[in-house]
Each structure stands twice: as structure tokens, then as C-alpha cells.
């Protein structure tokens, strides 16, 4: 199993997906069994199903919060890549260049990022011409005080352009920071756009209380 040095997960992606699916299926089955047992006038079995469900939910929440609490913020340099793992960790993002341009009332930043399909993460049976479409990404520039700034413009290849193994492309994103922004220690956050069920996937950086991986400008 390929384990990237820096990614959006601190728990093995296949196990995270399997744990979520098992938890979802177990919840449905336990509730269905409890309901059937209740209507069949078997309250002891119904209570046993609900107790099993409660214990399973407690264990899952403990793992979810545990991996969030042991996570730490990571700051990557321009030479490092951040991988995104869904089931496999195929896509890697890196920060290639940063330019600043003073403008009236603000500082204009242009950052160039690269999206790469790491062909070494694919299995030999995967077709080499099979494309992969990236999930929606949220990209923010964050100053020393934690203020977040979204891109005001984008050039180059759109971030959701499909890639084949070994393909890569670059995207230029523009940000305008007001004079009140603390330009020191700026960080660039590239993350999957938060959505369900990311919030309850063990080890996902979008999950509750989980720290994130940034790029230093």
C-alpha cells in the first residue's frame, strides 16, 4: 500500500473508507433488526441491537476524534507535494511559484500550483489511458492571524480537468490581500471542498478538529 509522506489523511485511506462503509451498513442493519424485533415482541433482542449499535458508534467516534487530536499542522515547502487520498492516493499538488504585485489598496499575489497524477501509485492492471477527474478543491491564502482569502481570478488549466497517469498541469490563482493582512507567514491551503461524508471519515483533514497540511509562501 502506497503511503505518501504528506497527504490529506493521517489514517490509511482504504481502511478509512472501509470503516465508514462498515459503520454505515452496521447502523442500518442494527436499526432494522431492532425495529423488527420490537414489532415481533422481542424487546431483549431489540435492546441488544441498540446496545451493539451504541458501542459501535462510540468506538467509531473515539477513532475519529483520536486521529484528529493526534494530528498536527504540516507546512510544506515549494519542493514538496501534498497527495490527496480518496481510496488511492493518485493526485499530488505542489506550489511552483509565488509573485507579488502592489496594487491600489491591496497586495496582489499570483501563485502557480501543479496538479500531477503520480503514475507510480497505480496498479499494473489499471489502463494507462483511463482518466481521473479531481474532486472539487478549496484553495485559500491564510495570513498569520488566520484570516482567509479566496482566489479572485484563475488562469491556466482548471483544477477539475481530468488527468491520465503521468499527466500534470499548472494553474495560476490570484489573491488580493488588504493592507490590514499580516503578510508574514502566509500559508496556502489546498484541500478537498468540505462535504459529507468527509466530516466523519477517520483521519480526513476535513473531519472534526483535524489539523491541515499547508504550503509555505
Amino acid at each position: 500500500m502506497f503511503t505518501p509522506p504528506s497527504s490529506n489523511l493521517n489514517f490509511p485511506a482504504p481502511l478509512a473508507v472501509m470503516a465508514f462503509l462498515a459503520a454505515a451498513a452496521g447502523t442500518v442493519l442494527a436499526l432494522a433488526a431492532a425495529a423488527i424485533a420490537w414489532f415481533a415482541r422481542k424487546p431483549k433482542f431489540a435492546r441488544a441491537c441498540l446496545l451493539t449499535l451504541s458501542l459501535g458508534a462510540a468506538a467509531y467516534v473515539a477513532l475519529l476524534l483520536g486521529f484528529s487530536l493526534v494530528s498536527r499542522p504540516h507546512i510544506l515547502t515549494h519542493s514538496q507535494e501534498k497527495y490527496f487520498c480518496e481510496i488511492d492516493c493518485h493526485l499530488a499538488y505542489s506550489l511552483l511559484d509565488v509573485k507579488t504585485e502592489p496594487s491600489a489598496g491591496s497586495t496582489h499575489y499570483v501563485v502557480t500550483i501543479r496538479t500531477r497524477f503520480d503514475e507510480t501509485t497505480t496498479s499494473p492492471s489499471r489502463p494507462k489511458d483511463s482518466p481521473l477527474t479531481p474532486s472539487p478543491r478549496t484553495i485559500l491564502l491564510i495570513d498569520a492571524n488566520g484570516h482567509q482569502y479566496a482566489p479572485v481570478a484563475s488562469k491556466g488549466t482548471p483544477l477539475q480537468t481530468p488527468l491520465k497517469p503521468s499527466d500534470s498541469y499548472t494553474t495560476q490563482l490570484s489573491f488580493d490581500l488588504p493592507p490590514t493582512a499580516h503578510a508574514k507567514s502566509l500559508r496556502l491551503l489546498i484541500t478537498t471542498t468540505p462535504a459529507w461524508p468527509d466530516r466523519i471519515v477517520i483521519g480526513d483533514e476535513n473531519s472534526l478538529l483535524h489539523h491541515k497540511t499547508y504550503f509555505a509562501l
Side-chain angles (χ1 to χ4, degrees), residues 88-201:
D88 296 305
C89 305
H90 291 322
L91 297 183
Y93 291 75
S94 57
L95 176 60
L96 298 183
D97 186 47
V98 180
K99 296 180 180 178
T100 59
E101 303 171 355
S103 60
S106 65
T107 302
H108 190 68
Y109 284 81
V110 179
V111 301
T112 302
I113 63 175
R114 180 180 69 174
T115 306
R116 182 175 73 92
F117 190 149
D118 187 349
E119 72 277 11
T120 66
T121 64
T122 61
S123 66
S125 61
R126 191 185 196 281
K128 298 300 182 183
D129 59 350
S130 178
L132 172 65
T133 300
S135 298
R137 305 293 183 211
T138 294
I139 302 184
L140 299 168
L141 199 58
I142 304 172
D143 69 12
N145 286 339
H147 296 139
Q148 300 179 349
Y149 305 92
V152 296
S154 175
K155 292 183 180 179
T157 306
L159 287 169
Q160 285 189 268
T161 301
L163 304 95
K164 298 176 183 177
S166 78
D167 281 354
S168 66
Y169 52 73
T170 60
T171 308
Q172 294 79 43
L173 299 170
S174 299
F175 300 83
D176 285 332
L177 270 65
T180 55
H182 285 252
K184 292 183 178 180
S185 303
L186 285 174
R187 297 165 292 160
L188 184 73
L189 174 64
I190 304 174
T191 188
T192 301
T193 300
W196 194 90
D198 297 349
R199 300 295 191 188
I200 54 173
V201 172

Side-chain angles (χ1 to χ4, degrees), residues 20 35 50 66 69 74 105 113 140 214:
F20 171 75
L50 294 178
L69 293 175
H74 290 285
I113 63 175
L140 299 168
Y214 306 88

Side-chain angles (χ1 to χ4, degrees), residues 28-100:
V28 172
L29 290 174
L31 290 175
I36 292 171
W38 184 263
F39 284 109
R41 297 184 179 181
K42 295 182 179 180
K44 289 185 178 180
F45 185 77
R47 286 194 292 269
C49 290
L50 294 178
L51 177 61
T52 301
L53 174 60
S54 299
L55 293 174
Y60 189 91
V61 170
L63 285 172
L64 178 71
L65 295 179
F67 276 90
S68 291
L69 293 175
V70 300
S71 67
R72 294 293 180 268
H74 290 285
I75 307 295
L76 305 180
T77 65
H78 289 207
S79 61
Q80 295 178 299
E81 291 182 307
K82 177 180 179 180
Y83 280 79
F84 279 79
C85 304
E86 287 157 354
I87 294 180
D88 296 305
C89 305
H90 291 322
L91 297 183
Y93 291 75
S94 57
L95 176 60
L96 298 183
D97 186 47
V98 180
K99 296 180 180 178
T100 59

